[in-house]
Amino acid sequence: MYTIQKKTVTRLVTTGMAVALLASPISSVLPGPGNVAAAASAVDKSSHSLKPIWTKTLGDPSKINPQTTLIKNNLYYTVGKKYIAFDALAGKTRWAYPAAAVSQTVTDGQSVWFTDATGRLIKLNAATGKLQWKVKTQSQPGKKESYVNLSLHEADGVIYVGDAYGLTAYNASNGKVKWKLKGSAHGYKLLQTGKILVATTVIDGALTTSGLQGIDAQSGKVKWKQTDGDHQDILFSNDKSFYTRDVTEGIDAGYAANIDEMNLTNGKIMATRSYIPVDFVEDQSASDVVSDGEYFYVIEKYDETQKKAVVSRFPAASRSKAEPDQTYKFEAGVAEWSLGDAGIVYVRLDNGKLLTLDTNSGRTLASAQYKGTPLPTLIGQDVIVVQHGGQISGVKKAAASQ
């Protein structure tokens, strides 16, 4: 989790973790064609490659279920009952600790925290892996059961744990509970904005939807609730408001992407921006919306008739019902749109292809073909981590031009 200054991409918190690996190894590395003509990018296009600089075999993909987090160039993952810190740029293990992580890893640079299968919140020294403390979470598994973590975030000296109990805030220095908020599935996604903690939560009814709560970060008291719509994702925030996609579907919705701007103080909807009109949302809806705070990228569902997938880009300040300023077309459905630097994104397609795309020029800088189901690619400071079969591979990021 990140503390908001001006604009923060909260989505990076949730996409930095993967829970499984691709089904088979990389088969080729190919140059890619361009997609759209537009302005020049500030990224070096001459030397970028998706060829791995290292590959590590973790084991039989049917028998491993690692929790993988990439922070800067540090990769944290679990195989079996071993939690491993790995230098993703050098391709070397730094240290290991005897525990099976069932959450992403969070860090303040000096320490790392994670929850394990036995229901403990564990703090280790980030440089050495030495145990600093461990405490039991509020939700403890039964015999022969594994603890289930819904979310783990760190901000301002506090560790927030979301699980079957609800949401619990722990003092990061000593593991003592600051406050706890009982309720099912609290804090699946979190946004820290100084005084207000925005959390998504599951609403059970005739249809299961996602609502939002504004929580006082110091006391844990709920300041407001927003149950109008189905808000599963928090895109980004500024000082006074935040943006979230309403994925409520139906004939009356009328648009593939409906993005609400909400007041941080009271949770009220200030404005709704709708993009890409459709006749029937159920048939032609967007599959996802991703934002870097400057643009909304609307990932449309694969068109079986035209045999293409389209991603449309809208400036975050653009009016509702505006036309996109860029569109990108692909031969297969888009499984993942991972934000890099300087307008670069890493695109995973349903056919197993991984692309590096310059969103400003529309040019594909590099592509690599993988076999098997595409799963998350992790974006670090100088390296990305590609997961495939029982292996993980490090790939250098595209370098910014001087």
Side-chain angles (χ1 to χ4, degrees):
M1 180 168 60
Y2 297 85
T3 301
I4 304 303
Q5 299 298 328
K6 291 296 182 182
K7 291 181 179 179
T8 296
V9 186
T10 59
R11 186 176 184 85
L12 297 183
V13 173
T14 59
T15 58
M17 177 183 69
V19 297
L21 299 177
L22 281 180
S24 59
I26 185 169
S27 58
S28 63
V29 179
L30 305 170
N35 290 299
V36 202
S41 168
V43 171
D44 181 4
K45 303 177 180 62
S46 61
S47 60
H48 182 58
S49 171
L50 286 173
K51 184 176 181 179
I53 55 177
W54 56 261
T55 295
K56 182 177 179 62
T57 299
L58 302 184
D60 184 342
S62 66
K63 297 180 180 179
I64 59 176
N65 187 25
Q67 294 289 341
T68 311
T69 309
L70 181 61
I71 303 171
K72 293 186 176 179
N73 294 327
N74 297 309
L75 181 68
Y76 301 93
Y77 66 92
T78 287
V79 175
K81 296 182 179 180
K82 185 179 293 186
Y83 174 79
I84 298 167
F86 189 81
D87 185 331
L89 189 59
K92 296 180 179 180
T93 298
R94 295 174 48 235
W95 48 259
Y97 181 82
V102 293
S103 73
Q104 68 185 84
T105 297
V106 297
T107 183
D108 62 359
Q110 303 299 314
S111 302
V112 295
W113 293 261
F114 64 93
T115 57
D116 76 348
T118 68
R120 300 176 300 178
L121 174 61
I122 297 174
K123 178 183 180 181
L124 305 178
N125 183 289
T128 66
K130 183 178 180 180
L131 177 66
Q132 296 183 317
W133 54 253
K134 56 185 176 182
V135 297
K136 289 184 177 181
T137 60
Q138 301 302 306
S139 174
Q140 288 293 296
K143 292 182 178 180
K144 297 183 180 181
E145 293 180 345
S146 178
Y147 170 76
V148 177
N149 178 270
L150 298 173
S151 63
L152 184 71
H153 301 286
E154 184 276 336
D156 301 330
V158 180
I159 308 298
Y160 299 94
V161 176
D163 55 25
Y165 172 86
L167 185 63
T168 306
Y170 295 86
N171 189 304
S173 63
N174 56 26
K176 292 184 178 180
V177 175
K178 286 176 60 69
W179 52 259
K180 51 188 178 181
L181 181 61
K182 188 174 178 57
S184 62
H186 282 298
Y188 180 68
K189 295 183 178 71
L190 294 178
L191 170 68
Q192 175 73 28
T193 61
K195 295 181 179 180
I196 295 293
L197 182 72
V198 181
T200 62
T201 184
V202 173
I203 302 173
D204 291 320
L207 295 174
T208 299
T209 60
S210 293
L212 296 167
Q213 294 188 353
I215 302 167
D216 185 292
Q218 292 298 316
S219 67
K221 293 182 178 180
V222 177
K223 308 295 288 186
W224 54 261
K225 292 183 179 181
Q226 174 57 258
T227 60
D228 184 14
D230 189 2
H231 297 95
Q232 297 178 3
D233 208 0
I234 303 169
L235 298 172
F236 72 90
S237 172
N238 54 35
D239 292 332
K240 297 180 180 180
S241 61
F242 67 98
Y243 294 80
T244 175
R245 183 190 176 201
D246 181 0
V247 297
T248 302
E249 294 190 345
I251 296 174
D252 295 336
Y255 280 83
N258 295 294
I259 300 166
D260 289 331
E261 180 181 4
M262 293 188 179
N263 188 297
L264 278 167
T265 303
N266 56 30
K268 292 183 178 180
I269 298 175
M270 301 167 61
T272 297
R273 299 179 186 181
S274 299
Y275 303 114
I276 309 178
V278 293
D279 294 327
F280 297 95
V281 176
E282 294 95 332
D283 295 331
Q284 301 175 351
S285 178
S287 60
D288 201 1
V289 175
V290 179
S291 180
D292 57 5
E294 298 296 330
Y295 297 99
F296 297 117
Y297 295 93
V298 180
I299 302 169
E300 300 174 51
K301 290 183 177 179
Y302 182 73
D303 189 324
E304 293 286 354
T305 302
Q306 300 187 35
K307 301 298 180 183
K308 67 178 182 180
V310 177
V311 176
S312 299
R313 188 180 81 171
F314 299 86
S318 63
R319 69 187 188 282
S320 184
K321 304 180 183 179
E323 293 295 318
D325 74 336
Q326 295 278 16
T327 57
Y328 318 95
K329 299 178 181 179
F330 306 93
E331 75 273 16
V334 176
E336 182 185 30
W337 189 269
S338 300
L339 299 166
D341 305 316
I344 294 297
V345 296
Y346 298 91
V347 186
R348 294 296 291 273
L349 302 182
D350 286 336
N351 62 6
K353 185 177 290 185
L354 171 64
L355 308 173
T356 303
L357 176 69
D358 179 353
T359 59
N360 294 317
S361 70
R363 181 180 175 187
T364 300
L365 306 182
S367 69
Q369 182 66 53
Y370 291 78
K371 294 180 180 179
T373 304
L375 290 173
T377 297
L378 309 179
I379 313 299
Q381 179 174 290
D382 303 303
V383 66
I384 67 175
V385 171
V386 181
Q387 305 180 90
H388 52 98
Q391 298 178 322
I392 52 176
S393 296
V395 177
K396 284 189 176 180
K397 287 174 63 178
S401 299
Q402 299 297 321

